[in-house]
Amino acid sequence: MFHEVWILFKKDLLQEFRSKAAINAIFLFSIVTLTAVSYSIGSHAISNFILAALLWIVIVFSALSAFSHIFLKEEEAQTADTLKLIAQPTPIFLSKWLFNTLLLTLLLMVIVPLFIAVFNFQVKNIPLLLLSIFLGDIGLASGGTIVAALIAKASRRGALFSVLSFPILLPVMVVGISAAQIAFTQEGSPLFPSEITALFAYDVVLFTTSLMLFDFIWND
Amino acid sequence: MAKAFLFILLSLVIVGAYFYAPLAKGLKEYTRVLYFHVPAAWVTVLAFLISAWYSLQYLRKRDMMLDAYAAAANQLGILYCLVTTVTGAMWAKASWGAYWNWDPRQTSIFILLLIYAAYFSLRSAVENDQDRARLSAVYSLLAFATVPFFIFIIPRIYESLHPDPLINAQAKIKMNIKMLQVFLSSLTGFTLLFLWLFNLKKRIIKLSAHFEEIEEEYE
């Protein structure tokens, strides 16, 4: 099982980093989002509370642009059926989820430091910020991956991915913003406020439900 | 019969809400929205639950009728959800001074509305009947897993100005007997109205499936 996941994950990794077309577009899109947000604020001094919301807007928009590709590419290249033949649904979902998590983590490693540099402010509680973003990352990837699998099977996709995933990902955003507000404003605040517990609980719920429901999407 | 009974019950509820139920101390006239807002909110969640149940049954049995029932429950649910949102916003304007201020309760009802809307946009985006049934059932269940989070967890983390819901932390009902009478009749009335509408929908679905069969036989 773990071996299967690893092989499938490596296949996606090789495929994506060989052509780089999709990855480049995804990275560029998050830079564009960051630019749009940063430019519209200009050099006005804004409070840390608003900064927390802006950070999560950039994160969620980057995530929305990044996730749908992983399943769409299988449908577009018509390789989904081959994938069905060689692997069980669970390893497929896990490998796709792993890839999306890695992709978003890489994105965030670029976006978050850039965001802090662009807006020129100090984070008071860095461990809390990192922890909340990491948990948010996992939650976004779980919800995003299952919705990506859903819309890959739909015939008219359009803006469907954002519409379907937004209500499911919003709790992550709401709680993430409030955790970031604490991290931006309070020095020496506890590492595990109730926001972290809520994020963790939501991650577990979302991940398990997605894993259980994926079989029904994949096998028709 | 059911129609007449519902008509009388709901008329009595309306009259009762304005003339029979007393106002609690310190509360203004607009708090009477309680008798319509809370039952509508309850039915919103009930419809969502019924739809999720039919979705689960569809995934097990793959019967297209079950998918049609799930969609019908959601169609009615979105209606009640709109009623809840609008009555809530009206009350908020009277009580808090603004129609909308992203109170945790407002956020959760708005998310439910979004989920309902997303469900129907997914349905319209899939052409194949079986695929549509399967994908929307999965989405319904996925959304259902997130709902408890909105209803129970987010309002507990963030301070809400919303009056205590019926299921509050102290497990107490803060109403006098007359208020409770009207409230419970309204709750029953709204639920029965929903079940009656849902039953009508189910009959329409069954009949149209039946007619399709007959048409196919003649062809």
Side-chain angles (χ1 to χ4, degrees), chain B residues 152-166:
Chain B
F152 299 112
I153 300 179
I154 287 199
R156 298 282 181 283
I157 296 184
Y158 300 100
E159 276 189 33
S160 170
L161 294 171
H162 193 281
D164 270 351
L166 230 48

Side-chain angles (χ1 to χ4, degrees), chain B residues 4-45:
Chain B
F5 174 73
L6 267 174
F7 181 76
I8 294 168
L9 179 62
L10 287 173
S11 310
L12 280 178
V13 165
I14 293 171
V15 175
Y18 286 101
F19 299 106
Y20 177 70
L23 280 173
K25 233 182 235 167
L27 290 180
K28 304 245 172 63
E29 284 292 334
Y30 55 72
T31 51
R32 295 190 192 274
V33 77
L34 151 89
Y35 302 111
F36 308 103
H37 174 74
V38 180
W42 147 250
V43 174
T44 305
V45 178

Side-chain angles (χ1 to χ4, degrees), chain A residues 49-63:
Chain A
F49 280 97
I50 298 174
L51 281 175
L54 289 178
L55 173 66
W56 272 90
I57 288 175
V58 175
I59 292 177
V60 168
F61 270 79
S62 311

Side-chain angles (χ1 to χ4, degrees), chain A residues 118-130:
Chain A
V118 165
F119 282 102
N120 195 23
F121 66 102
Q122 267 206 324
V123 181
K124 301 270 171 58
N125 189 341
I126 294 174
L128 174 63
L129 182 71
L130 290 181

Side-chain angles (χ1 to χ4, degrees), chain B residues 77-79 81-82 85 108-118:
Chain B
I78 201 170
L79 212 73
C81 194
L82 275 173
T85 315
S108 44
I109 200 71
F110 182 70
I111 294 297
L112 262 176
L113 205 57
L114 272 185
I115 290 175
Y116 274 127

